[in-house]
Amino acid sequence: MGSVTLRRLSKIFDGGIQALHDLDLDVRDGELLVLLGPSGSGKTTILRCIAGLEEPTGGDVLIGDRVVTRDPPRARDVAMVFQTPTLYPHLSVRENIAFPLEMRGTADAQVTRRVVEAATRLGIPSVLDRMPDTLSEGERQRAALARAIVRGPQAFLFDEPLSRLDAKLRIELRAELLALHRALGATMIYVTHDQTEAMTMGGGAGQRIAVLHEGRVRQVGTPEEIYQRPADVHVARFVGTPGMNVLQGRGRGTGEEGPVIEAGSLVIPVELSTYEGELQVGIRPEFVGLCAVDKGVGNVDVLVVEPLGSETLVHLNTGGQALVARLPGFADVRVGTRVGVKVDRRRLYLFDAAGVPLA
Amino acid sequence: MSSRGWAAAVTVAATIAATLALAVVFAAERHYERAFAFRIAGTTAAYVAAVTPPPQPPPPPPPAPRVVRGRRRPSIRPAPPPPPPQLAPLSPAARSYDLPSLLTQARALQTLPGWSSDVEVYFGTAPLVDATAPPLSPDDLSYLAAAGLWRAGRALVPLKDRDGQEVVGAVAVRPHPMPHGPLPGGIGFAFPAAILAIGAAAATAFRERSLRPGARGGYVGAALFLALATYLDVRAAARQSTDRWLVDTRRLLQEAATRLPPPRVRVAISDLAAIVRDGEVVAGEPADSPPRRVRVDGERRAVVAVLIGSGRWVELRSVPAELEAPRWLILLLPSALLGPLAILLLRWAERTPARLRRETAIAWGFLGPAGLHLTVFTIGPALYAIYLATAANLPALARDPVTWNALRNTALYALYVPVSVALALVAALAVFRYRQHWGGRLLSTAFVLPYVASAVVIALVWQAIYRWGSFGLGRTDWLSNTGSALPALMLISVWAHMGGQMVVFLAGLQAIPPAYLDAARVDGAGAWRGFWRVTLPLLRPVTWFVVLTGVLGALQMFTLVFVLTQGGPSPSHATGVMVHRIYQTAFGQQAFALASALAVVFAVMLLILRWPQLAILRRQVRNA
């Protein structure tokens, strides 16, 4: 097992697109780090640089204490599971799992034993002699996982391995992956764009989430940290379902009723007295409430109502900016009506115009 | 369509079909009557030429009475007269006929008892039998030198001089109309059958609105009966044409037997045989008067016994025309079955919604040209080749060493395919690796160029290379050396086909998801092992496809051999491949039956080889 360290890693593709900007990241030995970010944020590029499938334009990759930046993939001793199940279609499941061992010249007897071990660990010993195209999606991804764990590498790289599975199977396999992490105590880097998945995978002991945006790591922390104390406006918007409302606004320290923030059609009284000028105000949907017209901090138009059963999402228009309210149960809101908005003042997040938290 | 309208349409369709069938019968009867007329006219011309003496020479030498037949087989005559002392070729005038004798002979023809035709003999353009009849036009006479003519109900054939060289006149035959049909009044089977078929159609159509399958079957039966009846009529007409010729020729032979020899000399059979050019005359037995059908050496023959002297019988034989009557079925069956087809179509149209009808019509409109093309240029010739092949002597074909040599050469030649496939794969890998680079594109263009060039151009370029270059190996020409000719062709083929195969491999490489290769690299495979363990197995369907299409193409190779070696260097046939052998047999030796048999056998072999290819393609389609 080993740690994985990225030092000032940058990658510029042939077309001139810069995927990574001087990125630093420390994955501790035995840690499960979830790389969370929207598509195009550079998650997969990071994994491919660690695996050796892409050569970084600048910076270094360290596995353990060794600099492996220029090493070919086979010299790095990492295993990778891809988004599409990459079982070789011409090999049986057994031969697929044995493939990495065979490539390293492991003795036959040991290969047989370890293949069965890995398959048993993932609950697929019965399909060892089948061909990949006869397996179900779940069995296929399990077989791919077995192929990854079979040789006990320094680190595991997961590139959205569950994103193509249906929801039920995804939850099941997620739990198994976590159990696998606990059992193996291995260093794992798990890439996903699904923040629910990130929260689940990054929630346990020795687990963290790194949020990426446009080729930069914005925040590394526990789920609670990145949810409660987002490092910038991008993290705030990306984390949560739905993500935080971020309104462009202007702070006024000299309002008649004390300092306020004007954002769209809202005038929100705040305790922050010292700030004047452009800023961004964030509020999570669950802390937005609706009330009668003129009773709240402003009036808004109801655009869309999404009753989800346990909660109702109400999409609002506040002076041209979108605001989502998350109300418990079924809410009696009509599309096209005008309602007042209440906000929990203690739950406001203030960012400056560049997206950095104030105070 | 209303029920009555539908029934009327059915009746019309049946009537059209029956009329068509009758028209075919009429055409066939005319065809056979004319065939008879031309045939008897030709025989008559030969008869006239045989029995008419040459003109009397001006200074009368002692008359040579039997000069007439001197030009034909004088050696086998039983009592050879002294051959006419002709040291120089006869002058045209001397080769012609003695006009008074010709007049006599021609007039005698008209009085032949039992003859079924009117005959006229022209000397030059002047009619001899009926002197007041209009003369022949000079145009017709000159045209006759090339072929027979049909003029105003008469068959005109040339009357040549006694050496058979120049046209000096013509013989015209107008056959008397004869009843063809076997039924009373000369009616054939076809007419009643046509009435019956129309009646059956009308009855079934008017009786009930919708034709039950049973009733439909009844009408189809009536149509088939019509086809059979028309065929019987055509066959009868063909038979009659042969019989008429036999009977009329018998009269001519008997006449010739009395006129040919000088008095008190028995006529030779060979002299009679000379008159009957499209039949045989052999010594025979007494027999009944009507023509008979017998088997002679396994072949069907129409024969008639001819009494040519007291107690002397010969047998006149001919190939019976009805032997080839079945080909009329090609016209008769479709026209008779047109009725049922039209009825089924009408029924379908009545039942089917307009939209589907229109769509079906459009679909057939699209399919039609391709179907017609396929039928005329593929299915038709293939069936014809199979038909031709039935006449071939297959055991002899199997014993012919040249055939086996061709097979062997073909198989040897196909061995270039693995080489070109391997090279194509290497080239594809190189081009794929550097596909973003200008070098890769240049490489790919260089490989593909020969693939898009014409095979003939490639052949000529390489011919020049082999002649002048010889790659400095000291040989003058690889193509004319028995040992190197086939390898030389294989080398050209490798060069020519590599590009195409490379393109297929490139497509195959592009179709491999890069994730497989990424996974293999992470799993520890280097470039070499990644290729053997992952890329190559994933390319397997493509490789099979390339190899099989390559082999099938190689087995059918023709152009290179045709352009460069003609199967040579002879006599070893070192490059005689199968298709070239078929071509040679058909167009070189004019042995079409043999060539067709070879082609059919070879096609079956290719079909068997094709099986795995189809299986692979099916699998690919399933996986896609």
Side-chain angles (χ1 to χ4, degrees):
Chain A
M1 302 299 142
S3 60
V4 174
T5 310
L6 306 182
R7 279 198 203 131
R8 300 185 58 77
L9 195 69
S10 64
K11 173 71 188 175
I12 302 170
F13 283 111
D14 285 345
I17 298 160
Q18 183 151 16
L20 304 176
H21 297 265
D22 290 348
L23 185 139
D24 287 300
L25 188 66
D26 277 302
V27 188
R28 300 175 205 125
D29 188 7
E31 181 185 24
L32 170 55
L33 182 89
V34 178
L35 276 180
L36 174 66
S39 32
S41 60
K43 313 178 297 276
T44 301
T45 308
I46 292 177
L47 277 201
R48 291 176 66 85
C49 283
I50 297 171
L53 295 173
E54 299 283 355
E55 195 173 320
T57 314
D60 278 317
V61 177
L62 283 78
I63 296 176
D65 297 324
R66 203 158 60 87
V67 176
V68 296
T69 317
R70 306 281 167 235
D71 289 355
R74 66 170 179 279
R76 300 195 180 197
D77 195 20
V78 295
M80 188 161 169
V81 178
F82 295 81
Q83 182 173 12
T84 50
T86 51
L87 295 180
Y88 310 118
H90 56 286
L91 300 179
S92 70
V93 173
R94 184 188 300 278
E95 291 164 326
N96 261 288
I97 299 175
F99 189 83
L101 296 177
E102 205 185 303
M103 287 300 123
R104 283 176 166 70
T106 314
D108 283 354
Q110 212 187 345
V111 169
T112 315
R113 186 175 56 77
R114 284 168 70 175
V115 167
V116 173
E117 244 174 51
T120 313
R121 201 180 268 279
L122 282 149
I124 51 164
S126 57
V127 302
L128 273 180
D129 292 310
R130 306 234 311 253
M131 295 307 278
D133 61 352
T134 67
L135 301 183
S136 68
E137 280 286 323
E139 287 169 332
R140 237 176 272 177
Q141 204 52 281
R142 279 170 209 266
L145 288 171
R147 189 173 68 188
I149 67 168
V150 71
R151 61 164 214 262
Q154 298 234 34
F156 291 96
L157 310 173
F158 296 105
D159 188 4
E160 309 211 23
L162 308 182
S163 63
R164 283 164 62 99
L165 305 180
D166 63 52
K168 189 161 164 279
L169 201 56
R170 195 155 54 208
I171 292 166
E172 195 182 311
L173 269 176
R174 212 183 275 156
E176 280 188 40
L177 263 178
L178 284 172
L180 207 61
H181 175 240
R182 275 195 300 276
L184 298 174
T187 310
M188 292 183 173
I189 302 177
Y190 188 99
V191 160
T192 181
H193 67 273
D194 176 351
Q195 46 96 16
T196 313
E197 188 163 288
M199 294 301 193
T200 327
M201 299 294 291
Q207 290 159 226
R208 288 186 300 163
I209 298 173
V211 184
L212 276 145
H213 186 81
E214 291 180 347
R216 292 185 174 88
V217 175
R218 303 292 173 154
Q219 188 172 9
V220 183
T222 63
E224 194 191 351
E225 281 167 356
I226 63 165
Y227 189 79
Q228 302 285 13
R229 292 190 295 281
D232 67 10
V233 69
H234 301 295
V235 178
R237 275 188 194 191
F238 191 65
V239 175
T241 15
M244 188 186 283
N245 296 298
V246 178
L247 304 174
Q248 305 291 323
R250 169 172 282 277
R252 288 194 193 283
T254 55
E256 288 142 31
E257 297 153 23
V260 293
I261 295 172
E262 296 171 10
S265 59
L266 306 182
V267 179
I268 308 167
V270 286
E271 275 139 33
L272 186 74
S273 54
T274 55
Y275 199 83
E276 286 270 342
E278 296 292 323
L279 52 68
Q280 301 181 64
V281 58
I283 180 154
R284 296 220 169 261
E286 50 267 44
F287 301 121
V288 177
L290 301 186
C291 59
V293 174
D294 292 338
K295 296 288 183 193
V297 295
N299 297 327
V300 294
D301 298 319
V302 178
L303 294 178
V304 177
V305 178
E306 287 185 77
L308 300 175
S310 64
E311 60 193 33
T312 302
L313 298 181
V314 184
H315 297 259
L316 307 161
N317 176 16
T318 158
Q321 299 193 59
L323 182 70
V324 180
R326 183 172 169 183
L327 309 174
F330 289 97
D332 182 22
V333 188
R334 293 264 179 77
V335 172
T337 55
R338 199 165 174 80
V339 293
V341 167
K342 296 185 297 187
V343 296
D344 188 335
R345 241 184 284 176
R346 289 159 304 169
R347 305 289 189 169
L348 292 182
Y349 294 87
L350 298 181
F351 305 95
D352 65 15
V356 178
L358 292 171
Chain B
M1 204 187 298
S2 76
S3 176
R4 292 191 66 80
W6 179 71
V10 164
T11 313
V12 168
T15 310
I16 290 173
T19 311
L20 254 173
L22 287 181
V24 174
V25 171
F26 181 70
E29 284 172 352
R30 269 176 70 84
H31 166 84
Y32 284 117
E33 195 175 73
R34 284 184 182 197
F36 157 73
F38 275 112
R39 201 175 175 200
I40 194 66
T43 312
T44 307
Y47 161 83
V48 169
V51 298
T52 310
Q56 301 291 331
R66 286 189 288 109
V67 148
V68 190
R69 291 149 290 126
R71 64 198 160 91
R72 284 197 179 263
R73 303 187 198 165
S75 59
I76 55 168
R77 294 180 52 190
Q86 295 168 350
L87 296 173
L90 289 171
S91 68
R95 291 201 306 263
S96 186
Y97 303 102
D98 181 40
L99 192 52
S101 310
L102 189 60
L103 196 62
T104 317
Q105 301 290 6
R107 295 241 162 116
L109 280 173
Q110 210 189 17
T111 61
L112 275 182
W115 244 49
S116 64
S117 318
D118 290 332
V119 67
E120 179 62 273
V121 177
Y122 294 91
F123 187 71
T125 57
L128 299 184
V129 179
D130 180 6
T132 57
L136 271 187
S137 81
D139 280 353
D140 282 351
L141 191 62
S142 58
Y143 182 83
L144 273 179
L149 266 182
W150 186 263
R151 276 280 180 279
R154 301 186 306 170
L156 272 174
V157 299
L159 176 65
K160 299 203 169 157
D161 64 24
R162 292 183 306 111
D163 270 4
Q165 288 183 3
E166 276 178 38
V167 178
V168 297
V171 174
V173 167
R174 182 200 308 278
H176 295 160
M178 272 178 90
H180 302 288
L183 295 183
I187 297 176
F189 294 119
F191 193 66
I195 301 288
L196 188 73
I198 297 170
T204 41
F206 277 101
R207 198 181 60 223
E208 46 188 331
R209 182 178 149 68
S210 126
L211 276 184
R212 285 195 315 273
R216 214 147 53 207
Y219 177 59
V220 172
L224 282 173
F225 178 68
L226 173 63
L228 179 71
T230 50
Y231 172 66
L232 287 179
D233 279 3
V234 170
R235 197 181 148 85
R239 196 184 165 100
Q240 190 189 52
S241 144
T242 304
D243 287 357
R244 258 180 110 168
W245 181 80
L246 285 173
V247 171
D248 288 359
T249 305
R250 170 165 65 191
R251 286 297 302 127
L252 280 180
L253 289 181
Q254 286 167 344
E255 200 63 24
T258 62
R259 287 173 194 265
L260 268 180
R264 289 179 303 281
V265 175
R266 282 153 57 101
V267 69
I269 291 179
S270 57
D271 288 336
L272 295 180
I275 296 173
V276 187
R277 280 172 225 172
D278 47 358
E280 292 173 274
V281 179
V282 295
E285 300 292 317
D288 288 339
S289 165
R292 294 165 292 136
R293 296 294 185 273
V294 295
R295 278 195 175 275
V296 178
D297 299 335
E299 310 267 353
R300 306 248 320 147
R301 287 287 177 272
V303 300
V304 74
V306 188
L307 181 65
I308 54 168
S310 61
R312 283 191 78 206
W313 289 83
V314 292
E315 194 172 72
L316 177 62
R317 291 179 183 166
S318 165
V319 177
E322 68 264 24
L323 277 191
E324 56 171 28
R327 62 183 183 167
W328 288 93
L329 280 174
I330 297 171
L331 291 175
L332 288 171
L333 263 180
S335 40
L337 290 177
L338 209 62
L341 196 72
I343 286 168
L344 287 180
L345 212 64
L346 282 169
R347 279 301 295 143
W348 172 82
E350 198 193 31
R351 272 197 311 257
T352 313
R355 182 191 150 87
L356 185 61
R357 215 156 55 210
R358 199 171 52 244
E359 280 176 3
T360 309
I362 291 171
W364 278 104
F366 280 121
L367 284 174
L372 191 71
H373 179 271
L374 209 62
T375 312
V376 172
F377 292 107
T378 305
I379 300 172
L383 290 178
Y384 187 58
I386 292 173
Y387 165 73
L388 283 179
T390 54
N393 186 347
L394 283 176
L397 194 67
R399 279 194 303 271
D400 186 356
V402 183
T403 307
W404 291 107
N405 179 58
L407 259 183
R408 192 188 62 106
N409 284 341
T410 310
L412 275 179
Y413 170 77
L415 287 181
Y416 90 81
V417 174
V419 179
S420 76
V421 168
L423 289 175
L425 180 57
V426 172
L429 287 170
V431 169
F432 188 67
R433 173 77 180 76
Y434 296 103
R435 62 192 180 282
Q436 312 285 9
H437 194 260
W438 64 265
R441 293 195 194 118
L442 189 73
L443 204 62
S444 118
T445 311
F447 284 131
V448 173
L449 219 53
Y451 172 62
V452 296
S454 145
V456 175
V457 171
I458 289 174
L460 293 177
V461 167
W462 276 84
Q463 185 173 48
I465 292 176
Y466 282 142
R467 270 207 191 130
W468 297 325
S470 272
F471 299 117
L473 292 179
R475 288 219 178 89
T476 46
D477 186 355
W478 288 24
L479 289 172
S480 52
N481 182 299
T482 301
S484 64
L486 194 63
L489 291 187
M490 290 164 74
L491 185 64
I492 302 176
S493 305
V494 168
W495 181 79
H497 292 291
M498 219 177 96
Q501 293 166 344
M502 183 199 74
V503 170
V504 181
F505 273 127
L506 265 181
L509 284 173
Q510 261 147 8
I512 296 179
Y516 284 125
L517 296 170
D518 287 344
R521 288 174 71 196
V522 174
D523 283 343
W528 188 245
R529 284 214 281 185
F531 170 73
W532 282 109
R533 291 299 309 273
V534 179
T535 309
L536 198 57
L538 289 177
L539 275 180
R540 196 182 303 154
V542 177
T543 313
W544 270 113
F545 174 80
V546 170
V547 167
L548 282 171
T549 47
V551 167
L552 282 169
L555 296 180
Q556 295 172 67
M557 193 272 282
F558 174 75
T559 316
L560 287 183
V561 167
F562 182 73
V563 176
L564 291 179
T565 63
Q566 288 292 329
S570 50
S572 58
H573 299 293
T575 61
V577 293
M578 204 62 193
V579 179
H580 188 258
R581 167 102 184 108
I582 293 170
Y583 168 82
Q584 275 275 310
T585 311
F587 299 102
Q589 307 167 12
Q590 299 286 320
F592 284 95
L594 205 61
S596 300
L598 274 174
V600 169
V601 169
F602 194 53
V604 169
M605 290 165 71
L606 291 183
L607 215 60
I608 293 169
L609 275 175
R610 192 134 214 149
W611 192 251
Q613 184 193 0
L614 291 176
I616 284 167
L617 283 181
R618 258 199 302 277
R619 204 163 64 211
Q620 276 177 325
V621 168
R622 208 177 52 229
N623 286 352

